[in-house]
Amino acid sequence: MREGDLLRPDGCRVHWYDGGPEDAELVLFWHHGTPNIGQPPGPLMAPVTERGWRWISLDRPGYGGSDRREGRCVADVVDDVADVAAALAVPRFAVVGHSGGGPHALACAAVLGPERVRAAVSIAGLAPFGAPGLDWFGGMAPGGRSELEAAALGPAALAAQLESEEWDPESFTPGDHAALEGEWGWFGSVVEAALSLGPDGMIDDDVAYVSDWGCAVEDAGSVPVLVAHGEDDRVVPAAHGRWLADAIPGAEARFLEDSGHISVLLDAGALLDWLETHA
Protein backbone atom coordinates (compact mmCIF):
# COMPACT_ATOMS: atom_id res chain seq x y z
CA MET A 1 0.00 0.00 0.00
CA ARG A 2 1.38 3.39 -1.03
CA GLU A 3 0.54 6.53 0.95
CA GLY A 4 1.19 10.22 0.48
CA ASP A 5 -0.03 13.77 0.98
CA LEU A 6 -1.44 16.27 -1.47
CA LEU A 7 -1.22 19.95 -0.62
CA ARG A 8 -4.28 22.00 -1.56
CA PRO A 9 -4.02 25.63 -2.75
CA ASP A 10 -5.23 26.73 0.69
CA GLY A 11 -2.31 24.90 2.32
CA CYS A 12 -4.38 22.05 3.77
CA ARG A 13 -3.07 18.49 3.48
CA VAL A 14 -5.05 15.62 2.03
CA HIS A 15 -3.70 12.18 2.93
CA TRP A 16 -4.25 9.43 0.35
CA TYR A 17 -3.80 5.67 0.01
CA ASP A 18 -3.08 3.79 -3.21
CA GLY A 19 -2.88 0.03 -3.75
CA GLY A 20 -2.85 -2.35 -6.68
CA PRO A 21 -1.31 -2.23 -10.15
CA GLU A 22 -0.84 1.23 -11.61
CA ASP A 23 -1.95 -0.04 -15.02
CA ALA A 24 -5.15 -1.62 -13.67
CA GLU A 25 -8.15 -1.76 -15.96
CA LEU A 26 -10.42 -0.41 -13.24
CA VAL A 27 -9.68 1.94 -10.35
CA LEU A 28 -12.00 2.10 -7.33
CA PHE A 29 -12.10 5.21 -5.16
CA TRP A 30 -13.29 4.30 -1.66
CA HIS A 31 -15.23 6.72 0.58
CA HIS A 32 -15.11 5.80 4.25
CA GLY A 33 -17.84 6.05 6.87
CA THR A 34 -18.10 8.04 10.10
CA PRO A 35 -15.90 7.93 12.10
CA ASN A 36 -13.25 6.14 9.99
CA ILE A 37 -10.04 6.92 8.19
CA GLY A 38 -9.60 6.26 4.49
CA GLN A 39 -7.49 3.13 4.72
CA PRO A 40 -8.98 0.69 2.17
CA PRO A 41 -11.15 -1.99 3.82
CA GLY A 42 -9.08 -5.09 4.47
CA PRO A 43 -11.84 -7.66 3.81
CA LEU A 44 -12.37 -6.29 0.30
CA MET A 45 -8.76 -6.17 -0.76
CA ALA A 46 -8.48 -9.86 -1.67
CA PRO A 47 -11.43 -9.84 -4.12
CA VAL A 48 -10.26 -6.53 -5.58
CA THR A 49 -6.71 -7.83 -6.01
CA GLU A 50 -7.97 -11.03 -7.62
CA ARG A 51 -9.72 -8.90 -10.24
CA GLY A 52 -6.52 -6.97 -10.89
CA TRP A 53 -8.09 -3.66 -9.85
CA ARG A 54 -6.49 -0.64 -8.19
CA TRP A 55 -7.85 0.92 -5.00
CA ILE A 56 -7.46 4.59 -4.03
CA SER A 57 -8.88 6.40 -1.02
CA LEU A 58 -8.28 9.40 1.21
CA ASP A 59 -8.80 10.59 4.76
CA ARG A 60 -11.62 13.12 4.74
CA PRO A 61 -10.71 16.49 6.30
CA GLY A 62 -10.27 16.20 10.06
CA TYR A 63 -9.39 12.49 9.96
CA GLY A 64 -6.00 10.78 9.97
CA GLY A 65 -3.45 12.74 7.98
CA SER A 66 -5.88 15.21 6.38
CA ASP A 67 -6.21 18.68 7.84
CA ARG A 68 -9.57 19.79 9.16
CA ARG A 69 -11.71 22.18 7.10
CA GLU A 70 -14.57 23.42 9.26
CA GLY A 71 -17.88 24.09 7.59
CA ARG A 72 -17.28 21.71 4.69
CA CYS A 73 -20.25 20.30 2.85
CA VAL A 74 -20.47 16.85 1.27
CA ALA A 75 -19.60 18.10 -2.22
CA ASP A 76 -16.50 19.96 -0.95
CA VAL A 77 -14.69 16.62 -0.79
CA VAL A 78 -15.16 16.08 -4.53
CA ASP A 79 -12.29 18.44 -5.38
CA ASP A 80 -10.00 16.43 -3.08
CA VAL A 81 -10.96 13.24 -4.90
CA ALA A 82 -10.40 14.77 -8.32
CA ASP A 83 -7.05 16.26 -7.30
CA VAL A 84 -5.76 13.02 -5.74
CA ALA A 85 -6.83 11.04 -8.80
CA ALA A 86 -5.11 13.54 -11.09
CA ALA A 87 -1.93 13.47 -8.99
CA LEU A 88 -1.91 9.67 -9.29
CA ALA A 89 -2.50 9.84 -13.06
CA VAL A 90 -5.98 8.28 -12.89
CA PRO A 91 -8.30 10.01 -15.39
CA ARG A 92 -11.44 7.95 -14.65
CA PHE A 93 -12.50 5.78 -11.74
CA ALA A 94 -15.47 4.17 -10.02
CA VAL A 95 -16.59 5.42 -6.60
CA VAL A 96 -17.78 3.24 -3.72
CA GLY A 97 -18.96 4.53 -0.34
CA HIS A 98 -20.25 2.85 2.80
CA SER A 99 -22.49 4.60 5.35
CA GLY A 100 -21.35 8.24 5.48
CA GLY A 101 -19.19 7.48 2.49
CA GLY A 102 -22.31 6.90 0.41
CA PRO A 103 -23.22 10.60 0.09
CA HIS A 104 -19.61 11.43 -0.83
CA ALA A 105 -19.54 8.76 -3.54
CA LEU A 106 -22.82 10.02 -4.99
CA ALA A 107 -21.54 13.61 -4.84
CA CYS A 108 -18.54 12.59 -6.95
CA ALA A 109 -20.87 11.11 -9.56
CA ALA A 110 -23.15 14.17 -9.46
CA VAL A 111 -20.38 16.78 -9.72
CA LEU A 112 -17.75 15.08 -11.88
CA GLY A 113 -20.11 13.17 -14.16
CA PRO A 114 -19.14 10.46 -16.66
CA GLU A 115 -16.02 12.33 -17.79
CA ARG A 116 -14.34 11.29 -14.53
CA VAL A 117 -16.64 8.74 -12.83
CA ARG A 118 -17.35 5.37 -14.43
CA ALA A 119 -19.94 4.14 -11.90
CA ALA A 120 -21.01 4.74 -8.30
CA VAL A 121 -22.06 2.42 -5.48
CA SER A 122 -23.70 3.66 -2.28
CA ILE A 123 -23.80 1.02 0.47
CA ALA A 124 -26.01 1.78 3.49
CA GLY A 125 -25.76 5.46 2.60
CA LEU A 126 -27.76 8.42 3.85
CA ALA A 127 -30.23 10.37 1.71
CA PRO A 128 -30.03 14.18 1.64
CA PHE A 129 -31.34 15.89 4.75
CA GLY A 130 -34.89 17.10 4.26
CA ALA A 131 -35.43 14.77 1.29
CA PRO A 132 -39.08 15.22 0.19
CA GLY A 133 -41.37 12.46 1.41
CA LEU A 134 -38.72 10.83 3.62
CA ASP A 135 -39.00 10.64 7.41
CA TRP A 136 -35.27 11.26 7.65
CA PHE A 137 -34.81 10.26 11.32
CA GLY A 138 -37.47 7.55 11.25
CA GLY A 139 -36.31 4.08 12.22
CA MET A 140 -32.87 5.14 13.46
CA ALA A 141 -31.61 3.59 16.69
CA PRO A 142 -31.88 6.09 19.56
CA GLY A 143 -28.13 6.69 19.84
CA GLY A 144 -27.59 7.52 16.18
CA ARG A 145 -30.78 9.54 16.00
CA SER A 146 -29.85 11.75 18.95
CA GLU A 147 -26.39 12.29 17.43
CA LEU A 148 -27.76 13.50 14.10
CA GLU A 149 -30.53 15.54 15.72
CA ALA A 150 -27.82 17.33 17.69
CA ALA A 151 -25.85 17.85 14.47
CA ALA A 152 -28.87 19.61 13.00
CA LEU A 153 -28.55 22.13 15.86
CA GLY A 154 -24.93 22.87 14.98
CA PRO A 155 -21.35 21.82 15.81
CA ALA A 156 -21.46 22.99 19.44
CA ALA A 157 -24.61 21.01 20.21
CA LEU A 158 -23.16 17.94 18.54
CA ALA A 159 -19.85 18.23 20.41
CA ALA A 160 -21.74 18.35 23.72
CA GLN A 161 -23.86 15.36 22.68
CA LEU A 162 -20.85 13.27 21.71
CA GLU A 163 -19.10 14.11 24.97
CA SER A 164 -22.05 13.02 27.11
CA GLU A 165 -23.31 9.98 25.21
CA GLU A 166 -21.82 6.49 24.97
CA TRP A 167 -22.05 4.21 21.95
CA ASP A 168 -25.35 2.33 21.79
CA PRO A 169 -24.68 -1.33 20.88
CA GLU A 170 -28.36 -1.70 19.94
CA SER A 171 -27.58 0.37 16.86
CA PHE A 172 -26.23 -2.83 15.34
CA THR A 173 -28.22 -5.97 14.59
CA PRO A 174 -27.09 -9.41 15.80
CA GLY A 175 -25.84 -9.98 12.25
CA ASP A 176 -23.77 -6.78 12.44
CA HIS A 177 -22.19 -7.88 15.72
CA ALA A 178 -21.41 -11.28 14.19
CA ALA A 179 -19.76 -9.62 11.19
CA LEU A 180 -17.67 -7.49 13.54
CA GLU A 181 -16.52 -10.61 15.35
CA GLY A 182 -15.28 -11.93 12.00
CA GLU A 183 -13.29 -10.28 9.23
CA TRP A 184 -15.21 -7.01 9.49
CA GLY A 185 -13.68 -6.53 12.92
CA TRP A 186 -11.32 -4.53 10.71
CA PHE A 187 -13.58 -1.57 11.43
CA GLY A 188 -12.20 -1.38 14.96
CA SER A 189 -8.80 -0.31 13.65
CA VAL A 190 -10.08 2.53 11.46
CA VAL A 191 -12.57 3.82 14.04
CA GLU A 192 -9.83 3.92 16.69
CA ALA A 193 -7.49 5.72 14.30
CA ALA A 194 -10.23 8.18 13.32
CA LEU A 195 -10.96 9.17 16.91
CA SER A 196 -7.34 9.21 18.08
CA LEU A 197 -7.05 12.92 17.18
CA GLY A 198 -10.43 13.85 18.65
CA PRO A 199 -13.98 14.21 17.34
CA ASP A 200 -13.45 17.01 14.79
CA GLY A 201 -13.77 14.85 11.67
CA MET A 202 -16.89 13.17 13.04
CA ILE A 203 -18.46 16.51 13.96
CA ASP A 204 -17.81 17.96 10.51
CA ASP A 205 -19.14 14.81 8.81
CA ASP A 206 -22.38 14.75 10.80
CA VAL A 207 -23.04 18.45 10.30
CA ALA A 208 -22.44 18.02 6.56
CA TYR A 209 -25.00 15.21 6.38
CA VAL A 210 -27.74 17.38 7.89
CA SER A 211 -26.85 20.43 5.79
CA ASP A 212 -27.15 21.22 2.09
CA TRP A 213 -24.89 18.71 0.32
CA GLY A 214 -23.75 21.30 -2.21
CA CYS A 215 -24.95 19.23 -5.16
CA ALA A 216 -28.14 17.69 -6.53
CA VAL A 217 -28.05 13.96 -5.83
CA GLU A 218 -30.28 13.38 -8.86
CA ASP A 219 -27.33 14.40 -11.06
CA ALA A 220 -25.53 11.22 -10.00
CA GLY A 221 -27.74 9.46 -12.54
CA SER A 222 -25.42 10.62 -15.32
CA VAL A 223 -23.36 7.49 -14.50
CA PRO A 224 -24.44 3.94 -13.58
CA VAL A 225 -25.48 3.90 -9.90
CA LEU A 226 -26.13 1.01 -7.53
CA VAL A 227 -27.82 1.57 -4.17
CA ALA A 228 -27.32 -1.32 -1.74
CA HIS A 229 -28.95 -1.43 1.68
CA GLY A 230 -29.72 -3.89 4.45
CA GLU A 231 -33.43 -4.17 5.22
CA ASP A 232 -32.71 -4.31 8.97
CA ASP A 233 -30.27 -1.38 9.11
CA ARG A 234 -30.72 0.53 12.38
CA VAL A 235 -28.04 3.15 11.73
CA VAL A 236 -29.24 4.33 8.31
CA PRO A 237 -32.70 2.82 7.78
CA ALA A 238 -33.49 1.21 4.45
CA ALA A 239 -35.97 4.00 3.68
CA HIS A 240 -32.94 6.17 2.86
CA GLY A 241 -31.80 3.69 0.25
CA ARG A 242 -35.28 3.46 -1.24
CA TRP A 243 -35.49 7.23 -1.51
CA LEU A 244 -32.10 7.37 -3.27
CA ALA A 245 -33.02 4.58 -5.66
CA ASP A 246 -36.22 6.41 -6.61
CA ALA A 247 -34.61 9.84 -6.85
CA ILE A 248 -31.57 8.98 -8.98
CA PRO A 249 -32.54 8.35 -12.61
CA GLY A 250 -31.64 4.85 -13.77
CA ALA A 251 -30.29 3.75 -10.39
CA GLU A 252 -30.36 0.04 -9.60
CA ALA A 253 -31.16 -1.11 -6.07
CA ARG A 254 -30.45 -4.15 -3.93
CA PHE A 255 -32.16 -4.48 -0.57
CA LEU A 256 -30.79 -7.39 1.40
CA GLU A 257 -33.02 -9.22 3.84
CA ASP A 258 -31.65 -9.96 7.33
CA SER A 259 -28.79 -7.51 6.74
CA GLY A 260 -27.88 -4.53 8.89
CA HIS A 261 -25.44 -1.65 8.63
CA ILE A 262 -22.29 -3.77 8.77
CA SER A 263 -23.56 -7.19 7.70
CA VAL A 264 -24.66 -5.72 4.35
CA LEU A 265 -20.96 -5.75 3.49
CA LEU A 266 -20.94 -9.54 3.59
CA ASP A 267 -22.49 -9.30 0.12
CA ALA A 268 -19.72 -7.02 -1.13
CA GLY A 269 -18.51 -9.60 -3.64
CA ALA A 270 -21.79 -9.29 -5.54
CA LEU A 271 -21.42 -5.50 -5.51
CA LEU A 272 -17.98 -5.84 -7.05
CA ASP A 273 -19.50 -8.11 -9.70
CA TRP A 274 -21.96 -5.31 -10.50
CA LEU A 275 -19.08 -2.89 -10.91
CA GLU A 276 -17.28 -5.32 -13.20
CA THR A 277 -20.32 -5.24 -15.48
CA HIS A 278 -21.24 -1.57 -15.30
CA ALA A 279 -17.91 0.26 -14.93
Side-chain angles (χ1 to χ4, degrees), residues 3-232:
E3 298 184 38
D5 292 318
L6 179 145
L7 196 63
R8 289 168 41 92
D10 60 7
C12 290
R13 291 174 305 152
V14 177
H15 188 73
W16 52 261
Y17 307 81
D18 177 18
E22 296 185 11
D23 60 349
E25 194 170 301
L26 179 63
V27 178
L28 303 186
F29 211 112
W30 170 254
H31 291 270
H32 65 79
T34 302
N36 291 180
I37 60 170
Q39 189 176 81
L44 292 187
M45 295 316 294
V48 167
T49 301
E50 289 166 2
R51 289 170 167 82
W53 297 349
R54 185 177 178 182
W55 197 295
I56 299 174
S57 54
L58 55 77
D59 296 331
R60 277 199 299 278
Y63 291 114
S66 293
D67 293 330
R68 185 185 190 188
R69 300 204 298 277
E70 293 183 68
R72 59 178 165 88
C73 70
V74 169
D76 285 339
V77 177
V78 175
D79 284 344
D80 295 345
V81 172
D83 290 346
V84 168
L88 296 176
V90 176
R92 296 184 75 223
F93 45 89
V95 289
V96 181
H98 173 249
S99 189
H104 293 89
L106 294 175
C108 285
V111 175
L112 299 177
E115 294 80 12
R116 300 298 304 274
V117 176
R118 297 174 64 167
V121 180
S122 170
I123 308 170
L126 290 157
F129 190 62
L134 174 66
D135 179 2
W136 204 84
F137 293 110
M140 290 184 182
R145 177 170 183 153
S146 61
E147 177 183 320
L148 290 169
E149 287 177 334
L153 299 176
L158 176 57
Q161 176 73 17
L162 292 176
E163 189 172 338
S164 64
E165 186 173 74
E166 295 184 358
W167 163 248
D168 176 12
E170 293 300 313
S171 297
F172 286 159
T173 67
D176 289 336
H177 286 290
L180 289 168
E181 290 173 1
E183 62 180 359
W184 284 103
W186 166 86
F187 270 113
S189 64
V190 291
V191 170
E192 182 178 351
L195 294 176
S196 64
L197 299 178
D200 288 348
M202 186 176 185
I203 289 171
D204 295 342
D205 265 356
D206 282 351
V207 172
Y209 302 143
V210 297
S211 303
D212 188 317
W213 283 11
C215 65
V217 73
E218 295 85 355
D219 291 345
S222 64
V223 309
V225 171
L226 175 64
V227 175
H229 223 108
E231 289 281 11
D232 297 338

